[in-house]
Amino acid sequence: MDTVLSGIRSTGNLHLGNYFGAVKNFVKMQHENRCFFFVADYHSLTTHPTPENLHNNIRVVLSEYLAAGLDPEVATIYIQSDVPEIPELYLLLNMNAYVGELERTTTFKDKIRKQPENINAGLLTYPVLMCADIIIHNADKVPVGKDQEQNLEMARRFARRFNHMYGVEYFTMPEPYNFGSELVKVPGLDGTGKMGKSEGNGIYLSDEPKMIRKKVMRAVTDTGPQEPNSPMSEPVANLFYLLELLSTPDTVEHFRASYNDCTIRYGDLKKQLAEEMITFTTPIRERIQEIYNDTAYLGKVVKMGAEKARESASKTVREVREIIGYKPF
Ligand code: ADP
Ligand code: TRP
């Protein structure tokens, strides 16, 4: 049995990229593995430092996880800030993480470009906190999207360094994971790049059908194939990518054939895509509402999750302290 763990920052609603990059794999794996799934609310402070929406954002992400199919009876679902052992391990790992390597991380360089007015130390040590999240439960597999590959590499590096420095084989090496295939990068509807909250190009699990149609009909395309079997431009390939995630192989084949013989009408492709998205998100959206409004249920879920997570985390921190050399008098 593997230990599987993943987290999502509480900075807004879940979109299809979050679902297909992380949540879906987790939903599939939760019954056969030891699973942890958490809301990374400390990580969100690196970009969203103001308290106004903090609590509600956590509630939104938690409700959306549960609505998407995470089962709190089988998986351990918790809020990062409910587990004080995580910041303790983060502190200890920070002593063996070097400023130079942190400054060279792509995600750090991206973030400081995006928010030059707030280059905080939390951004710099983001991969260290993420490492603590992962190795505190000795996770083997981490279902994430492709954008998290480098953070996972850093997590392995810090875990390996700990083992090496203290001459132990204590932490396992966590691997990024996607069920049966490559890590995914779900594209947005704006032609290039990934779907993301900060990119403002997402289809959210909570979007109403009308909103989905509007967003999809506005998606960027091109002037259409000029000759049979011509290569696809990135915006059109992205629409096909999304259709493949959501639709049946027959439907995808139909549109591919019409692209290849130049009879395709992008309007039809978009309509189909929008309807597939609506079919997929509607049952989830309805559950989100119910769960979001059920304060007693949410309270029970996070209490149970925090207890289970702390049991596992406190054992690790106790052992780590011993390995480093802290002893009682
Ligand atoms: P966002 O990138 O929208 O701010 P997060 O950074 O909180 O979302 O990402 C949470 C999880 O969702 C991570 O595992 C991340 O890899 C995954 N993810 C986010 N966007 C995508 C995407 N477009 N394709 C695949 N996975 C994604
Ligand atoms: N950094 C991840 C993201 O932006 C969120 C995250 C925090 C995470 N801690 C984690 C993901 C641990 C997997 C495991 O998407």
Side-chain angles (χ1 to χ4, degrees):
M1 192 196 292
D2 284 320
T3 297
V4 181
L5 172 143
S6 197
I8 291 191
R9 292 174 306 139
S10 50
T11 52
N13 300 76
L14 297 189
H15 52 73
L16 293 177
N18 299 138
Y19 182 82
F20 287 103
V23 182
K24 177 185 171 192
N25 288 294
F26 203 87
V27 170
K28 278 199 197 171
M29 297 169 85
Q30 60 186 343
H31 293 280
E32 288 87 43
N33 298 281
R34 177 176 176 254
C35 283
F36 296 90
F37 214 113
F38 69 98
V39 180
D41 60 342
Y42 282 141
H43 277 109
S44 39
L45 292 181
T46 60
T47 53
H48 294 62
T50 44
E52 298 106 63
N53 295 325
L54 183 65
H55 184 71
N56 192 55
N57 282 344
I58 296 169
R59 186 183 186 119
V60 166
V61 171
L62 182 67
S63 311
E64 296 190 350
Y65 267 173
L66 295 166
L70 292 185
D71 180 350
E73 298 295 332
V74 294
T76 299
I77 299 171
Y78 60 99
I79 316 280
Q80 188 183 32
S81 65
D82 279 342
V83 183
E85 290 80 7
I86 298 170
E88 181 166 356
L89 182 58
Y90 164 65
L91 178 142
L92 295 170
L93 292 173
N94 262 326
M95 304 306 170
N96 302 327
Y98 303 112
V99 172
E101 62 189 341
L102 295 169
E103 280 173 341
R104 283 191 297 274
T105 314
T106 320
T107 40
F108 176 68
K109 290 195 267 185
D110 284 350
K111 283 278 153 61
I112 65 174
R113 212 174 308 121
K114 279 190 194 151
Q115 53 180 64
E117 73 298 343
N118 179 19
I119 305 176
N120 60 74
L123 272 183
L124 184 68
T125 57
Y126 186 112
V128 187
L129 179 56
M130 183 155 160
C131 176
D133 290 332
I134 297 170
I135 67 177
I136 204 153
H137 303 299
N138 249 314
D140 309 283
K141 290 182 176 160
V142 186
V144 284
K146 194 148 179 58
D147 60 311
Q148 295 300 309
E149 228 165 12
Q150 193 183 21
N151 281 337
L152 257 295
E153 200 180 296
M154 303 287 282
R156 282 197 297 281
R157 182 191 292 196
F158 300 137
R160 196 178 307 116
R161 188 174 294 160
F162 179 95
N163 287 348
H164 187 74
M165 284 191 75
Y166 301 108
V168 288
E169 277 303 315
Y170 185 70
F171 288 120
T172 34
M173 295 303 126
E175 297 292 337
Y177 187 76
N178 185 46
F179 209 82
S181 60
E182 302 272 287
L183 297 187
V184 301
K185 178 179 156 194
V186 179
L189 295 167
D190 46 359
T192 55
K194 75 161 197 137
M195 184 177 289
K197 278 173 275 223
S198 33
E199 285 74 8
N201 60 4
I203 298 285
Y204 293 92
L205 298 180
S206 57
D207 275 346
E208 298 283 340
K210 221 168 79 192
M211 176 61 95
I212 294 182
R213 287 194 191 101
K214 195 163 126 192
K215 287 181 177 174
V216 176
M217 292 322 278
R218 274 209 224 122
V220 177
T221 53
D222 56 24
T223 50
Q226 304 302 311
E227 51 188 82
N229 302 313
S230 44
M232 263 181 214
S233 66
E234 192 181 349
V236 175
N238 287 350
L239 296 184
F240 272 93
Y241 189 106
L242 289 165
L243 193 69
E244 261 174 28
L245 285 176
L246 291 154
S247 192
T248 61
D250 282 356
T251 309
V252 178
E253 198 34 54
H254 163 79
F255 283 101
R256 266 197 205 292
S258 68
Y259 180 87
N260 285 333
D261 66 16
C262 304
T263 57
I264 193 163
R265 287 198 315 217
Y266 290 143
D268 296 341
L269 173 66
K270 287 178 172 180
K271 264 189 212 135
Q272 181 76 31
L273 183 58
E275 294 317 305
E276 302 280 5
M277 286 175 170
I278 291 165
T279 308
F280 174 76
T281 52
T282 296
I284 302 182
R285 189 183 75 247
E286 287 165 4
R287 281 198 298 276
I288 292 173
Q289 274 314 316
E290 262 169 56
I291 297 172
Y292 179 87
N293 292 324
D294 194 344
T295 306
Y297 175 67
L298 291 173
K300 209 176 87 190
V301 168
V302 297
K303 184 161 176 283
M304 188 165 75
E307 275 165 16
K308 287 196 275 179
R310 290 198 68 185
E311 199 181 304
S312 155
S314 59
K315 176 170 177 289
T316 305
V317 168
R318 197 178 336 114
E319 291 170 353
V320 163
R321 290 175 61 104
E322 264 167 40
I323 291 169
I324 296 180
Y326 291 103
K327 284 185 192 153
F329 278 95

